[in-house]
Amino acid sequence: RRKMSLKSERRGIHVDQSELLCKKGCGYYGNPAWQGFCSKCWREEYHKARQKQIQEDWELAERLQREEEEAYASSQSTQGAQSLTFSKFEEKKTNEKTRKVTTVKKFFTASSRAGAKKEIQEAKAPSPSIHRQASIETDRVSKEFIEFIRTYQKPGQDIYKQCKLFLDTMSHKRDLSIEEQSECAQDFYQNVADRLQTRWKVPPEKVEKAMDEVEKYIMTRQYKYVFCPETTDDEKKDLAVQKRIRALHWVTPQMLCVPVSEEIPEVSDMVVKAITDIIEMDSKRVPRDKLACITKCSKHIFNAIKITKNEPASADDFLPTLIYIVLKGNPPRLQSNIQYITRFCNPSRLMTGEDGYYFTNLCCAVAFIEKLDAQSLNLSQEDFDRFMTGQTSPKKQESDSFSPDVCLGVKQMCKSLDLLSQLNERQERIVTEAKKLEKDLIDWTDGITKEVEDIVEKYPLDIKPKSQALAAIDSENVENDKLPPPLQPQVYAG
């Protein structure tokens, strides 16, 4: 029976592990940003949709051409302007098709003549980036990358050349949408990895290490251009999620069925470390480093659950706890960081491995927070609305239930909050009763007034004219002398 109740409590939080995988069934982890597909399947679907769009654009262009040719005979005066408009449209569509179909492979086919010309131009006019003050981190990463590729000898020189070429090309593609820049980066990762494996015969483990360093080098230099760009609504989503989490500050671990007891000092330390890790994610520049923060946070969560339950944690325990950590930490720019990782991380890390698993769970946690409702927390809709509007809050923990090592200030604070909550409830009851009493008094007064009016109407009051005043009783009494004397008070001696 206890198991059944727990299962019903988890109905709003439980996520089947199969739901984390790519919905195409390839076995890799999916991602909400890719509509449930993995990186590989998403790009295939994206290319299909893009080619379809290009085909539709060309059909539209051909139809417009036919219409303009038909209108040429009847509208000679306006033909020049229309032809000019269409020629611009056709030129734009041609350029768009050429730009979209061509991949980043052209980075690897630069001619020696173009390279020589570029070197002459650089010698004559130094790049403005030389005069820009580079950050300490960028300089450090550049030095580390150069030292790393030296260990790869000729493949390392080739890697460095391709990275420099990619960065130079991307500097001229700032006007592209963030999705197109992301696609360029993903193509670059794929081509560098294939180049190392096929041309240079580098072992897979060394390829993975090299790709980590390539990602670190290029994304450290690209970070300020592609993280939360102004052309996207990432910042708007950040503010919406932050506001949502603030509104849910009242959610308790018990409501989420979080199997973590923060009364245990070691568990409390793990919770603090997990919150610190998820907040620290925003300070990193490299997608892999941001993923590492998510992974460290998740491992602290698993350890906290293991210590509390004295047994290994399950997936059903992990997700509610991760949701609680996100609610408690309210990480800055959460959506921007998720989007940045999705767009520019080496796709192999998101598709497999523990990094991909934890990242997919974080995406699910954020999606759950955005859709959280009364049923998910086993609350009535009335209580949920009152908590969300701040009219009241769940009953705070009594000071007697605190562990002995909790400081006195925290106990006193919780006691005061509990007292204020009780006073608020009493005040609401008093106001309600006062309003009821006021209504009863008004109803009673109106009722009495109506009864009196009914009686007066039924029995009208007949007021007679005022009669003449009576004379004194003894004024006409002529036999006053025969009356006995007035009685005198007697003193009774007792």
Side-chain angles (χ1 to χ4, degrees):
R1 186 174 181 179
R2 175 62 177 167
K3 290 183 179 179
M4 291 179 63
S5 64
L6 283 175
K7 185 176 181 180
S8 63
E9 288 176 356
R10 295 178 187 272
R11 66 177 181 271
I13 302 176
H14 173 73
V15 174
D16 194 341
Q17 294 302 295
S18 62
E19 297 178 16
L20 302 179
L21 300 176
C22 175
K23 64 182 183 182
K24 203 170 182 179
C26 64
Y28 294 118
Y29 290 120
N31 192 312
W34 296 325
Q35 300 180 7
F37 293 103
C38 68
S39 175
K40 180 175 178 292
C41 296
W42 166 249
R43 295 186 69 194
E44 291 176 356
E45 295 294 325
Y46 178 74
H47 278 291
K48 289 179 183 178
R50 190 177 62 180
Q51 292 298 330
K52 182 180 178 182
Q53 184 63 44
I54 292 174
Q55 182 65 29
E56 291 176 354
D57 290 342
W58 275 100
E59 291 175 358
L60 174 63
E62 292 174 356
R63 182 169 60 83
L64 290 175
Q65 179 69 45
R66 289 194 301 270
E67 291 177 356
E68 287 188 1
E69 290 174 353
E70 293 171 359
Y72 177 79
S74 60
S75 179
Q76 182 67 26
S77 59
T78 59
Q79 190 272 342
Q82 291 177 347
S83 177
L84 179 61
T85 302
F86 176 73
S87 63
K88 289 183 178 179
F89 173 80
E90 187 177 24
E91 181 182 358
K92 180 180 178 182
K93 286 302 175 183
T94 304
N95 293 338
E96 182 180 359
K97 182 180 180 182
T98 304
R99 172 170 52 80
K100 288 185 175 181
V101 172
T102 304
T103 63
V104 185
K105 292 181 180 179
K106 64 185 178 182
F107 293 149
F108 307 120
T109 59
S111 64
S112 59
R113 181 180 176 184
K117 183 177 179 181
K118 179 183 174 184
E119 289 175 0
I120 295 173
Q121 290 176 347
E122 289 181 350
K124 292 181 179 179
S127 173
S129 63
I130 297 176
H131 302 286
R132 188 183 302 130
Q133 182 65 33
S135 68
I136 298 176
E137 184 176 359
T138 303
D139 290 341
R140 177 181 59 80
V141 170
S142 299
K143 292 178 181 178
E144 291 177 354
F145 182 65
I146 292 173
E147 294 204 357
F148 169 78
I149 61 175
R150 284 176 180 169
T151 62
Y152 279 65
Q153 298 177 351
K154 287 187 178 181
Q157 295 176 7
D158 188 32
I159 291 173
Y160 184 71
K161 178 182 176 182
Q162 304 309 324
C163 288
K164 295 294 287 185
L165 192 58
F166 172 77
L167 292 172
D168 182 68
T169 305
M170 290 300 294
S171 66
H172 297 91
K173 293 180 176 288
R174 303 290 183 218
D175 58 334
L176 294 181
S177 68
I178 194 64
E179 287 76 17
E180 290 172 319
Q181 293 185 57
S182 169
E183 187 179 356
C184 289
Q186 299 295 333
D187 286 338
F188 176 72
Y189 290 144
Q190 184 64 45
N191 282 293
V192 170
D194 292 344
R195 195 178 182 89
L196 287 173
Q197 289 177 348
T198 58
R199 178 175 178 179
W200 299 106
K201 308 300 181 182
V202 178
E205 62 275 5
K206 294 192 70 176
V207 171
E208 183 178 355
K209 178 64 176 175
M211 293 308 301
D212 289 341
E213 293 298 325
V214 167
E215 177 190 320
K216 181 179 180 181
Y217 175 64
I218 65 172
M219 293 316 303
T220 301
R221 302 179 71 91
Q222 291 287 306
Y223 177 78
K224 62 182 178 181
Y225 303 111
V226 297
F227 181 83
C228 192
E230 295 179 356
T231 56
T232 65
D233 59 349
D234 290 352
E235 185 176 3
K236 183 179 178 181
K237 292 179 180 179
D238 288 335
L239 295 175
V241 171
Q242 191 177 57
K243 183 178 179 181
R244 175 70 172 174
I245 292 176
R246 285 177 177 173
L248 294 169
H249 67 91
W250 48 268
V251 176
T252 63
Q254 292 74 24
M255 293 178 181
L256 295 169
C257 299
V258 175
V260 169
S261 176
E262 294 185 67
E263 297 178 2
I264 304 174
E266 192 175 357
V267 173
S268 179
D269 291 341
M270 292 290 179
V271 170
V272 172
K273 290 178 180 178
I275 294 174
T276 303
D277 289 332
I278 199 69
I279 291 176
E280 188 180 0
M281 174 178 62
D282 186 59
S283 65
K284 305 298 183 181
R285 289 191 176 189
V286 184
R288 181 170 62 90
D289 292 343
K290 292 181 181 291
L291 272 180
C293 291
I294 299 174
T295 301
K296 287 193 295 183
C297 168
S298 302
K299 289 184 176 180
H300 286 312
I301 290 174
F302 272 108
N303 289 334
I305 297 172
K306 182 178 180 180
I307 295 173
T308 302
K309 298 180 66 176
N310 200 22
E311 62 182 20
S314 65
D316 287 341
D317 295 330
F318 170 66
L319 185 57
T321 312
L322 179 60
I323 294 169
Y324 173 67
I325 293 297
V326 173
L327 289 176
K328 195 169 182 178
N330 197 357
R333 300 192 292 187
L334 183 57
Q335 281 289 5
S336 289
N337 282 287
I338 290 177
Q339 290 293 338
Y340 177 69
I341 293 172
T342 301
R343 293 166 181 157
F344 296 102
C345 185
N346 188 348
S348 62
R349 284 195 169 273
L350 299 184
M351 294 165 60
T352 57
E354 61 179 7
D355 288 343
Y357 173 77
Y358 295 138
F359 179 71
T360 304
N361 273 275
L362 177 62
C363 295
C364 291
V366 175
F368 176 84
I369 290 172
E370 292 175 338
K371 299 177 182 179
L372 186 141
D373 55 13
Q375 184 179 5
S376 303
L377 300 175
N378 290 316
L379 296 174
S380 65
Q381 190 61 45
E382 181 182 359
D383 287 342
F384 182 81
D385 293 338
R386 290 174 66 193
F387 294 156
M388 288 295 291
T389 56
Q391 294 180 4
T392 184
S393 60
K395 186 176 178 62
K396 296 292 187 287
Q397 191 177 22
E398 295 290 346
S399 59
D400 295 340
S401 63
F402 281 103
S403 59
D405 57 339
V406 175
C407 67
L408 183 62
V410 174
K411 294 181 180 179
Q412 186 62 38
M413 179 185 67
C414 290
K415 186 176 180 181
S416 300
L417 289 174
D418 186 32
L419 181 60
L420 286 172
S421 178
Q422 294 178 14
L423 290 174
N424 186 38
E425 292 177 2
R426 291 176 58 186
Q427 181 70 14
E428 290 179 355
R429 288 198 300 268
I430 291 173
V431 171
T432 303
E433 293 295 331
K435 289 181 178 179
K436 184 176 180 298
L437 177 60
E438 181 183 16
K439 184 177 181 302
D440 292 343
L441 287 174
I442 294 173
D443 292 344
W444 178 78
T445 304
D446 293 343
I448 294 298
T449 303
K450 189 174 184 307
E451 289 181 5
V452 171
E453 290 175 351
D454 291 343
I455 292 174
V456 170
E457 185 180 356
K458 187 175 182 180
Y459 305 103
L461 182 62
D462 186 13
I463 302 177
K464 296 181 178 181
K466 190 175 182 181
S467 59
Q468 191 173 358
L470 298 175
I473 296 177
D474 299 333
S475 61
E476 297 179 356
N477 192 348
V478 295
E479 299 180 352
N480 288 340
D481 56 336
K482 295 182 180 181
L483 292 174
L487 295 176
Q488 297 296 326
Q490 301 291 325
V491 179
Y492 180 66

